[in-house]
Amino acid sequence: MNIIITDAGRAALINAQNNGTNAVKLTQIAISDSNYTATAADTSLPTEIKRLDTFAGELVAADTIHVTIRDESLDVYSMRAFGLLSDDGTLIAVYSQASAIVEKTAGSVALLAVDIKLDRADATNIEIVGDAGFMLPPGSALVAGLLKLTGEDTPLDDTSRATHSLRVTQMLNQRIGDTNPDDVAHWTAAWSWGNHALAGYMVAGTADNQVRSNAQLDGRYVQQTTLGNANGVATLDSNAKIPLSQISDTVLGQVEYQGLWNPTTNEPALPTTPAKKGDYYIVSQAGARFGLNFEVGDWLISNGDKWDKVDNTDAVSSVNGRTGHVILTAADVGAAASSHSHSWGQLSGIPAYASRWPSWGEVSGKPSTFTPAGHNHSAANITSGTLAGARLPMATNATQGAVKMRISGTTLYIRNDGANA
């Protein structure tokens, strides 16, 4: 981040003769929550919250210093601006931004580490006089920091110091005896499942405070390299079950093809009782074996106790000469289409009156009496009886019809006008 050197800070860096610079000591850092634009004319921070002397820094470039700020108080604030103050209270440099640089809560430790690039100034002329101890606090199991190394007189239960490899060896010797070997080769051999006796254990036995021998360990423990591996031991999953990948196919009964088999010659030679569940063979030649009759294509399969047959010869091999996925039409099997017709001569077993009008006696379901009803008939349908003359049309020169007769004595005369004379 680019920090601005104030006019007052620049004046403090340059001596009155303007022929050199004076080292300026930075002793405090002022913090503000104000959202403003910092300028070189600033002499103080607006709405300053507090000042911290728990900071430290070091020069990392001619114009850059690395500064670490720490606040362990219970104060709550948002840092949006900060300024570097000299030992006489002069605001040497200032920085601000709109968003919060640090959000401090009551239960937290504010820690800010930044590389500050100074414009218009040589960082080598700035000396930071802060409390550097907090930058490297004493280390512990919960806090990262500096640790002291253990010495030969450090108690074995000291938890405030770090232990180097030589001291570890010395501490082990104190536990098991100073006269035992403590070289790396012996310990490497012991802890890599080598010769435990070579590690120099003083007391061997099965009590809680004794060391077990190789034979005793082998009977109670397993090596890491044998877990889940061939000729080793099976592991357990999260449900305390052995994973399927570590269970033998013999137990699972997984079907596994073994090749072709001839039941007549028993080639390859198979025992009467199968050795493995799930093994199967495909019959290459018809024959009998194990009390079973086989055709080509059948399976011989083990159920774990005996051999069984999977009959594959009853399957349809072809339909009307076709194989594979067959879809038949009526013509494929000589059948008529679903929609078709036949001539009368192709029909058999038809009733006698199917080809003629039935006689009155052949009609079934007819009524015994017929209720008369008004109706008409054409003249062509009248074959008997006499029609009334009034219903006949009069004959003309162009059409046929009725004529009237005149009787004169015994002679009949035909007139077309109906007169009697």
Side-chain angles (χ1 to χ4, degrees):
M1 73 178 43
N2 291 319
I3 193 167
I4 299 174
I5 299 296
T6 63
D7 294 338
R10 184 174 179 82
L13 291 171
I14 302 176
N15 62 20
Q17 287 77 23
N18 204 29
N19 59 1
T21 58
N22 299 318
V24 174
K25 294 183 179 181
L26 301 180
T27 59
Q28 288 183 317
I29 292 184
I31 296 175
S32 170
D33 62 358
S34 176
N35 179 10
Y36 86 106
T37 302
T39 66
D42 292 340
T43 58
S44 63
L45 283 181
T47 63
E48 180 179 318
I49 299 173
K50 64 187 305 182
R51 295 186 179 185
L52 298 173
D53 58 6
T54 52
F55 75 100
E58 60 181 341
L59 181 69
V60 295
D63 61 347
T64 305
I65 57 175
H66 178 77
V67 175
T68 303
I69 307 170
R70 185 183 183 96
D71 185 0
E72 297 180 336
S73 69
L74 299 178
D75 295 339
V76 178
Y77 57 81
S78 296
M79 180 197 298
R80 290 185 173 83
F82 66 87
L84 306 181
L85 301 172
S86 66
D87 53 355
D88 62 0
T90 301
L91 183 63
I92 303 297
V94 66
Y95 175 82
S96 67
Q97 65 181 45
S99 60
I101 303 171
V102 172
E103 292 282 359
K104 175 70 172 64
T105 62
S108 66
V109 175
L111 181 63
L112 176 64
V114 294
D115 288 331
I116 299 176
K117 188 173 183 179
L118 304 174
D119 68 336
R120 305 189 304 163
D122 185 355
T124 59
N125 295 317
I126 297 177
E127 178 183 353
I128 299 177
V129 184
D131 180 10
F134 79 93
M135 294 185 65
L136 296 172
S140 67
L142 301 177
V143 178
L146 292 177
L147 287 174
K148 293 182 179 181
L149 295 177
T150 58
E152 291 187 5
D153 298 330
T154 302
L156 297 179
D157 57 356
D158 189 339
T159 60
S160 63
R161 299 194 179 200
T163 304
H164 51 80
S165 58
L166 178 59
R167 180 57 183 159
V168 170
T169 303
Q170 293 172 343
M171 294 168 68
L172 288 173
N173 283 338
Q174 291 180 30
R175 289 290 190 187
I176 63 177
D178 291 336
T179 60
N180 295 296
D182 55 14
D183 60 276
V184 174
H186 283 105
W187 283 106
T188 300
W191 292 112
S192 63
W193 202 260
N195 188 340
H196 286 75
L198 187 62
Y201 295 118
M202 291 185 63
V203 181
T206 57
D208 292 340
N209 61 348
Q210 293 177 326
V211 179
R212 289 172 170 79
S213 65
N214 274 353
Q216 292 169 330
L217 287 175
D218 292 341
R220 293 167 173 80
Y221 302 94
V222 296
Q223 302 180 46
Q224 289 282 347
T225 55
T226 65
L227 298 179
N229 292 321
N231 300 319
V233 295
T235 59
L236 299 179
D237 59 19
S238 58
N239 296 317
K241 307 293 184 182
I242 299 176
L244 291 178
S245 60
Q246 298 181 30
I247 298 178
S248 171
D249 291 341
T250 303
V251 178
L252 295 176
Q254 178 176 331
V255 175
E256 187 173 348
Y257 174 64
Q258 298 298 317
L260 299 175
W261 175 68
N262 186 335
T264 302
T265 60
N266 192 25
E267 294 179 1
L270 300 179
T272 302
T273 301
K276 181 181 176 183
K277 182 179 180 181
D279 283 354
Y280 77 96
Y281 297 82
I282 296 179
V283 174
S284 61
Q285 183 176 329
R289 180 75 56 177
F290 308 132
L292 302 170
N293 295 319
F294 297 93
E295 298 293 337
V296 175
D298 289 343
W299 283 17
L300 176 72
I301 187 167
S302 165
N303 67 8
D305 297 322
K306 64 183 182 67
W307 295 106
D308 287 330
K309 182 183 80 168
V310 177
D311 193 344
N312 292 322
T313 57
D314 290 340
V316 176
S317 58
S318 66
V319 178
N320 199 30
R322 295 189 181 187
T323 60
H325 183 62
V326 178
I327 298 177
L328 294 176
T329 65
D332 291 331
V333 292
S338 58
S339 177
H340 63 281
S341 62
H342 291 277
S343 66
W344 191 260
Q346 292 175 320
L347 300 178
S348 62
I350 59 176
Y353 47 77
S355 59
R356 61 174 173 77
W357 289 107
S359 65
W360 182 254
E362 293 173 330
V363 177
S364 62
K366 58 184 181 291
S368 58
T369 60
F370 297 90
T371 302
H375 62 281
N376 297 316
H377 291 279
S378 65
N381 293 331
I382 300 174
T383 60
S384 63
T386 302
L387 292 175
R391 298 192 60 190
L392 297 176
M394 295 302 294
T396 67
N397 292 332
T399 62
Q400 294 178 340
V403 296
K404 287 186 177 183
M405 305 294 290
R406 182 179 68 84
I407 302 175
S408 176
T410 59
T411 303
L412 297 177
Y413 297 92
I414 300 176
R415 293 172 56 94
N416 63 356
D417 59 358
N420 294 321

